């Protein structure tokens, strides 16, 4: 499974009908179960490993995994977006436990917690 | 009863990606009197090829280069046959586009003098992790109206004019009918025609966006638009398993290709066509021959690069392809100590790397009135990558604005498409639901997809036959594919996501049929691996220095093949990449 949404951390972005991970997936692969208020990757076989979902999660509930066929579990790579939204730090750990971090300049746009369906330009809530 | 939503606009852009966003901004800035509407299959902030980010702009005129030197290079890289007018006109706008996006917030790496840092002859380095949201924000700020999650299923036509498009919303299930005075198609290319490299939960770990499924090609084919050069497929050379781009290593760290014996086979075997700098198809063809002849695996030799370079490599991948870094972490690989294994991907149809797509004039008009094309879906101009797609978006936007003003169309009432056509399209969009409701056993989109991919893989030059094909194989492919349009009537879909998947496979079948006809028609091997004809293994300029085009007859459904002449505009040997002017 290329990405994994930790159900213990995911809070469904409160009452969001269309939380950021669900909206930012280019393949329409993430769904929210409104009864449990959790998001999940419904179609892991269609995942492109592109990671907008991981970067969009406001509470870092989505882990980046490698499909098991490509290598052992245990290695980690997680992005952290800086408060100023102009840097991203990737924390890496290899299978032997060696840790390394990489900080890269970027420009991360704010992502609203929810959005109306027809039109992305109206009624946004930027209160992350 | 399906709810219908009708939208009227001046300019409709189908696909809010690289080309589409840039076209929207240009149209709104130059022609603020026109309404611009974007229909986007995903969410415009992270859709299509750029969803994960980019770490370089790979088509840029670095200091000393000119549009002519660019045309010479691209012409030789495409083995002597390109639309020189298109390649030249896009290159003239690289700087305009890159400066614009930099102004919107894209970090472009500069030296102490403020000049862009080159990464190879035509490349500059960027921190493009957020490139797509930056473009999306610009399109929204320009007041283009964006409709996300609309799967466009067909164009609307009136006589010989395209007057809009129809589709359905993945979120509310409504049927969208958009009437427009000019329509730009910018949907990207086609992945998923061939069996992917990996199975199981990595089956969509492909080079090209697996969500680009050829919709734009397919709706043009169905509407009778002329298409060109589908036979110039694209086969990417990528890192093994992670399928990450190799340019990051080859250009970023200067690592050459070697075989299992450490031999620099491009230098020893392909010296006459440029060695390591051989045309792109040969740089995929070379490694395949090594593997085929027992000298694999094939690597990029990164051994001995400094720890600083290794860190730079990792950072570059984190900007666009983080799974390469996770792959190294999970497999205890230090690219400074062991070489990076590479492989080739399944073939794609993509006009931004090769030249499959709509046949367009230099203003990016297609052969259908009212329909324009830009980006990966437009043909004839390879080596577009990101910046060339931007350029084409700009050119198309300027043309649409000009045509709307000159043709007096802007003053016209929106054309009234007969209700019967709209009704027919609605039935066509939703019939897999009906099949499901009626309890039909039917066919799942995934089943039809694997049938299509099996045919293409085994008879139409898939990876398992080393991308090779001949007349007999293509005849079998043609026959087997001809059964599929009948099968699509049985597609079932239980929800909107499945309905999208159903239309994606319908579109890919239309594209695959045209592709096979193109590959059968060109009886030469101009682009090895992209189109290796074992029965015509040589390049044949005497007979085939021309474009292979096709039109699907809207009445008979026959795919009619034709050729269009090549015109040399820029002087010089067509097979020589040329030198940097003044060097």
């Amino acid at each position: 499974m290329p990405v994994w949404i930790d159900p213990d951390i995911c809070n469904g972005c409160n009452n969001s009908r269309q939380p950021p991970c669900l909206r930012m997936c280019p393949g329409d692969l993430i769904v929210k179960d409104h009864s449990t208020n959790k998001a999940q990757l419904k179609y892991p076989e269609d995942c492109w490993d592109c990671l907008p979902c991981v970067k969009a999660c406001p509470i870092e509930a989505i882990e980046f995994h490698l499909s098991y066929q490509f290598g052992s579990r245990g290695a980690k790579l997680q992005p952290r977006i800086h408060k100023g939204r102009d840097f991203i730090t990737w924390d890496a750990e290899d299978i032997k436990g060696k840790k390394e971090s990489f900080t890269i300049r970027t420009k991360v746009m704010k992502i609203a917690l929810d959005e109306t369906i027809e039109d992305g330009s109206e009624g946004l809530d930027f209160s992350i | 009863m399906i709810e219908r939503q009708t939208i009227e606009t001046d300019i409709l852009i189908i696909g809010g990606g690289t080309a589409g966003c840039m076209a929207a901004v240009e149209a709104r800035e130059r022609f603020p009197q026109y309404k611009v509407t974007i229909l986007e299959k995903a969410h415009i902030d992270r859709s299509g090829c750029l969803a994960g980010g980019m770490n370089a702009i790979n088509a840029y005129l670095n200091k000393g280069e000119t549009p002519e030197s660019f045309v010479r290079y691209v012409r030789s890289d495409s083995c002597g046959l390109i639309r020189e007018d298109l390649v030249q006109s896009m290159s003239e706008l690289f700087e305009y586009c890159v400066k614009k996006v930099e102004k919107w917030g894209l970090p472009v790496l500069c030296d102490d003098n403020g000049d862009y840092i080159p990464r190879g002859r035509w490349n500059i380095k960027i921190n493009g992790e957020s490139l797509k949201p930056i473009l999306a924000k610009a399109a929204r700020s320009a007041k283009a109206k964006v409709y996300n999650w609309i799967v466009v299923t067909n164009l609307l036509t009136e006589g010989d004019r395209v007057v809009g498009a129809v589709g359905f919303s993945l979120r509310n299930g409504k049927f969208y009918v958009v009437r427009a005075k000019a329509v730009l198609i910018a949907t990207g290319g086609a992945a998923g025609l061939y069996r992917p490299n990996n199975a199981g939960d990595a089956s969509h770990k492909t080079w090209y966006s697996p969500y680009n499924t050829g919709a734009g090609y397919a709706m043009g084919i169905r509407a009778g638009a002329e298409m060109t050069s589908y036979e110039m497929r694209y086969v990417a050379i990528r890192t093994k398993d992670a399928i990450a781009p190799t340019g990051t290593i080859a250009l970023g760290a200067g690592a050459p290709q070697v075989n299992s014996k450490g031999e620099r086979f491009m230098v020893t075997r392909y010296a006459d066509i440029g060695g390591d700098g051989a045309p792109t198809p040969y740089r995929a063809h070379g490694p395949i021959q090594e593997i085929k002849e027992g000298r694999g695996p094939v690597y990029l030799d990164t051994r001995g690069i400094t720890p600083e370079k290794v860190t730079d490599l990792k950072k570059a991948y984190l900007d666009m392809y983080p799974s390469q870094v996770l792959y190294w972490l999970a497999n205890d690989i230090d690219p400074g100590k062991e070489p990076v294994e590479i492989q080739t991907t399944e073939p794609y149809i993509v006009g931004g790397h090769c030249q499959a797509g709509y046949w367009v004039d230099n203003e990016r008009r297609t052969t259908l009135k009212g329909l324009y094309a830009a980006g990966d879906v437009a043909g004839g101009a390879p080596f577009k990558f990101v910046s060339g797609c931007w350029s084409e978006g700009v050119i198309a936007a300027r043309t649409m604005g000009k045509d709307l003003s000159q043709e007096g169309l802007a003053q016209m009432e929106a054309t009234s498409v007969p209700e019967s056509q709209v009704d027919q399209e609605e039935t066509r969009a939703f019939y897999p639901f009906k099949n499901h409701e009626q309890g039909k056993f039917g066919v799942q989109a995934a089943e039809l997809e694997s049938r299509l991919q099996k045919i293409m893989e085994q008879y139409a030059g898939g990876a398992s036959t080393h991308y090779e094909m001949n007349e007999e194989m293509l005849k079998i492919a043609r026959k087997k594919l001809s059964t599929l349009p009948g099968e699509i009537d049985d597609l079932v879909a239980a929800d909107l996501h499945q309905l999208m998947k159903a239309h994606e496979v319908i579109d890919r079948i239309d594209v695959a049929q045209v592709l096979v006809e193109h590959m059968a028609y060109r009886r030469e091997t101009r682009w090895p691996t992209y189109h290796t004809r074992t029965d015509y293994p040589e390049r044949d300029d005497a007979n085939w220095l021309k474009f292979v085009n096709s039109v699907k007859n809207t009445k008979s459904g026959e795919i009619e093949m034709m050729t269009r002449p090549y015109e040399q505009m820029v002087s010089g040997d067509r097979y020589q990449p040329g030198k940097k002017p003044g060097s």
Side-chain angles (χ1 to χ4, degrees):
Chain A
M1 184 169 293
V3 297
W4 182 67
I5 305 174
D6 189 336
D8 292 337
I9 302 177
C10 177
N11 64 4
C13 288
N14 304 322
N15 297 319
S16 175
R17 302 298 298 174
Q18 309 271 335
C21 59
L22 185 152
R23 299 204 311 279
M24 294 303 111
C25 174
D28 187 39
L29 310 178
I30 296 175
V31 296
K32 183 178 171 186
D33 182 340
H34 292 283
S35 63
T36 59
N37 203 30
K38 307 275 178 204
Q40 66 181 83
L41 176 63
K42 188 174 175 188
Y43 307 98
E45 71 281 7
D46 289 344
C47 176
W48 190 31
D49 276 13
C50 56
L51 305 193
C53 58
V54 177
K55 291 178 253 185
C57 179
I59 55 168
E60 296 175 12
I62 309 181
E63 285 181 17
F64 174 28
H65 287 220
L66 202 63
S67 296
Y68 185 71
Q69 59 185 296
F70 294 133
S72 305
R73 299 208 172 101
K76 291 195 180 93
L77 185 63
Q78 283 298 127
R80 270 188 291 124
I81 292 159
H82 293 212
K83 276 220 172 79
R85 310 190 76 79
D86 49 358
F87 285 95
I88 190 165
T89 293
W90 294 82
D91 296 320
E93 184 177 338
D94 73 11
I95 39 168
K96 291 179 174 165
K98 194 183 150 211
K99 290 180 183 173
E100 210 175 349
S101 287
F102 305 91
T103 298
I104 302 167
R105 196 154 67 100
T106 185
K107 182 184 173 67
V108 182
M109 300 292 175
K110 280 191 178 173
I111 298 173
L113 285 186
D114 207 349
E115 199 171 314
T116 50
I117 290 171
E118 280 85 357
D119 181 1
S121 65
E122 289 163 16
L124 302 192
D125 168 15
F126 285 104
S127 57
I128 293 177
Chain B
M1 186 65 197
I2 285 156
E3 215 180 311
R4 210 176 264 190
Q5 177 116 1
T6 304
I7 296 165
E8 292 195 1
T9 185
D10 296 309
I11 292 172
L12 168 63
I13 298 172
I14 306 177
T18 317
C21 285
M22 190 57 101
V25 175
E26 186 72 14
R28 289 288 306 150
E29 284 180 354
R30 295 228 167 201
F31 309 98
Q33 70 273 31
Y34 296 141
K35 271 204 288 193
V36 174
T37 302
I38 298 176
L39 296 183
E40 164 56 50
K41 185 165 86 164
H43 188 291
I44 192 165
D45 277 2
R46 285 284 185 182
S47 57
C49 298
L50 299 184
M54 280 298 292
N55 63 21
I57 297 293
N58 292 311
Y60 193 76
L61 304 183
N62 281 313
K63 264 194 179 158
E65 301 290 358
T66 63
E68 288 75 21
S69 70
F70 184 73
V71 169
R72 282 190 189 99
Y73 181 86
V74 176
R75 182 173 63 198
S76 81
D77 195 65
S78 306
C79 306
L81 177 60
I82 54 168
R83 279 279 303 277
E84 299 189 11
D85 54 339
L86 300 180
V87 173
Q88 177 153 345
S89 63
M90 80 185 190
S91 70
E92 286 161 357
L93 288 169
F94 289 159
E95 190 180 356
Y96 170 81
C97 294
V98 172
K99 296 267 183 216
K100 220 168 171 169
V101 182
E102 188 184 21
K103 211 173 71 198
W104 295 338
L106 174 72
V108 183
L109 276 62
C110 294
D111 62 19
D112 294 340
N113 299 323
D115 294 326
Y116 294 159
I117 300 176
R119 187 198 81 169
R121 187 169 171 191
W122 308 106
N123 324 67
I124 52 174
K125 294 180 184 178
I126 60 172
N127 286 131
E129 183 281 320
S130 287
L131 182 52
K132 189 68 220 295
I134 289 169
L135 294 175
K137 190 182 174 200
R140 278 198 301 260
S141 303
K143 299 213 182 317
K145 178 96 172 165
V146 180
Y147 291 84
N148 291 316
W149 298 303
I150 307 290
V151 179
V152 177
T153 51
N154 247 339
L155 299 168
L156 282 175
T157 54
E158 195 177 55
D160 59 352
R161 188 174 183 94
V162 172
V163 293
V166 293
F168 63 90
S169 165
L170 271 174
R171 288 291 177 270
N172 61 24
K174 288 185 195 171
F175 184 58
Y176 280 70
V177 181
V178 186
R179 300 170 201 275
K181 292 158 189 166
V183 178
L184 172 64
I185 201 137
T187 48
L193 300 170
Y194 288 81
R195 215 179 254 169
N197 286 106
N198 299 298
D201 69 352
S203 60
H204 268 182
K205 187 149 188 52
T206 51
W207 161 72
Y208 199 55
S209 162
Y211 318 119
N212 286 17
T213 50
Y217 294 139
M219 59 186 99
I221 291 167
R222 291 191 291 263
E226 186 170 331
M227 297 289 166
T228 189
S229 306
Y230 275 35
E231 72 280 12
M232 190 187 184
R233 306 177 299 172
Y234 183 56
V235 174
I237 182 120
R238 298 285 127 167
T239 61
K240 179 79 171 33
D241 296 341
I243 317 288
T246 52
T248 306
I249 299 176
L251 297 175
Q257 290 187 2
V258 294
N259 63 20
S260 58
K261 295 172 181 151
E263 180 194 4
R264 288 181 65 173
F265 56 90
M266 289 308 295
V267 175
T268 53
R269 284 176 230 282
Y270 299 89
D272 55 327
I273 50 161
D276 284 326
T280 308
Y282 286 92
R283 296 207 302 275
H285 186 69
I288 293 160
Q289 302 317 299
E290 293 306 298
I291 292 165
K292 186 179 159 188
E293 290 162 20
R295 294 182 296 274
V298 175
Y299 305 95
L300 282 171
D301 196 355
T302 46
R303 283 172 297 187
I305 64 171
T306 62
E308 292 74 34
K309 279 259 183 208
V310 171
T311 301
D312 285 349
L313 261 189
K314 288 179 179 169
K315 281 186 170 181
Y317 276 124
L318 291 171
D319 259 342
M320 77 180 284
Y321 223 99
S323 60
Q324 179 63 58
V325 177
L326 186 55
Y327 182 82
W328 285 335
L329 295 168
N331 290 284
D332 193 23
I333 290 172
D334 176 352
K337 294 192 176 123
E338 57 182 290
V340 177
E341 189 177 347
I342 54 178
Q343 66 171 120
T344 45
T345 65
E346 73 272 25
Y348 307 96
I349 300 299
V350 48
H353 284 247
C354 293
Q355 49 187 325
Y358 282 82
W359 183 250
V360 290
D361 68 11
N362 203 15
E363 313 293 313
R364 271 59 177 184
R365 295 180 191 91
T366 72
T367 56
L368 300 180
K369 267 188 216 154
L371 186 69
Y372 306 76
D376 280 355
V377 83
F383 225 82
K384 271 177 228 174
F385 312 134
V386 171
S387 44
C389 291
W390 286 338
S391 299
E392 290 203 325
V394 168
I395 297 168
R398 291 176 184 176
T399 309
M400 288 190 290
K402 196 172 66 183
D403 287 357
L404 280 185
S405 311
Q406 283 179 357
E407 293 178 21
L409 277 167
Q411 283 72 43
M412 259 172 55
E413 293 289 307
T415 45
S416 52
V417 179
E419 275 306 296
S420 59
Q421 190 188 142
V422 178
D423 289 345
Q424 239 173 28
E425 288 298 340
E426 184 182 301
T427 306
R428 181 183 176 276
F430 291 99
Y431 78 87
F433 269 175
K434 208 168 198 178
N435 284 344
H436 174 75
E437 279 161 20
Q438 290 170 349
K440 205 168 185 172
F441 183 70
V443 176
Q444 300 288 334
E447 291 181 290
L448 196 45
E449 176 184 288
S450 55
R451 175 130 163 226
L452 167 71
Q453 290 177 348
K454 182 175 166 65
I455 297 167
M456 297 303 286
E457 175 68 21
Q458 297 178 343
Y459 299 105
S464 58
T465 58
H466 307 289
Y467 309 95
E468 293 171 355
M469 64 193 85
N470 60 35
E471 186 104 30
E472 285 309 307
M473 292 164 82
L474 291 169
K475 270 186 190 160
I476 297 171
R478 178 186 290 143
K479 185 176 175 213
K480 285 181 175 281
L481 284 178
S482 71
T483 63
L484 300 190
E487 307 274 329
I488 65 176
D489 294 342
D490 294 330
L491 277 165
V492 290
D495 58 29
L496 289 162
H497 183 84
Q498 286 184 16
L499 188 62
M500 172 180 73
K501 303 287 282 182
H503 280 281
E504 287 177 345
V505 74
I506 292 170
D507 288 342
R508 282 180 290 176
I509 289 168
D510 281 331
V511 175
Q513 285 192 299
V514 172
L515 169 59
V516 165
E517 294 310 320
H518 274 254
M519 293 194 297
Y521 198 83
R522 183 178 283 282
R523 292 188 176 86
E524 65 157 354
T525 297
R526 179 168 298 271
W527 305 290
T529 292
Y530 295 177
H531 180 232
T532 303
R533 284 288 302 256
T534 51
D535 43 356
Y536 300 96
E538 303 297 330
R539 184 171 65 215
D540 177 4
D541 267 356
N543 293 302
W544 291 103
L545 181 59
K546 55 191 176 189
F547 297 95
V548 170
N549 285 15
S550 63
V551 172
K552 187 164 182 173
N553 188 310
T554 51
K555 293 200 175 67
S556 69
E558 292 295 314
I559 299 166
E560 293 163 0
M561 304 304 296
M562 64 197 82
T563 61
R564 297 275 184 187
Y566 158 78
E567 283 173 51
Q568 180 161 4
M569 287 169 48
V570 175
S571 63
D573 183 334
R574 291 183 299 105
Y575 297 107
Q576 294 300 323
K579 287 194 175 67
K580 200 169 185 161
S583 68

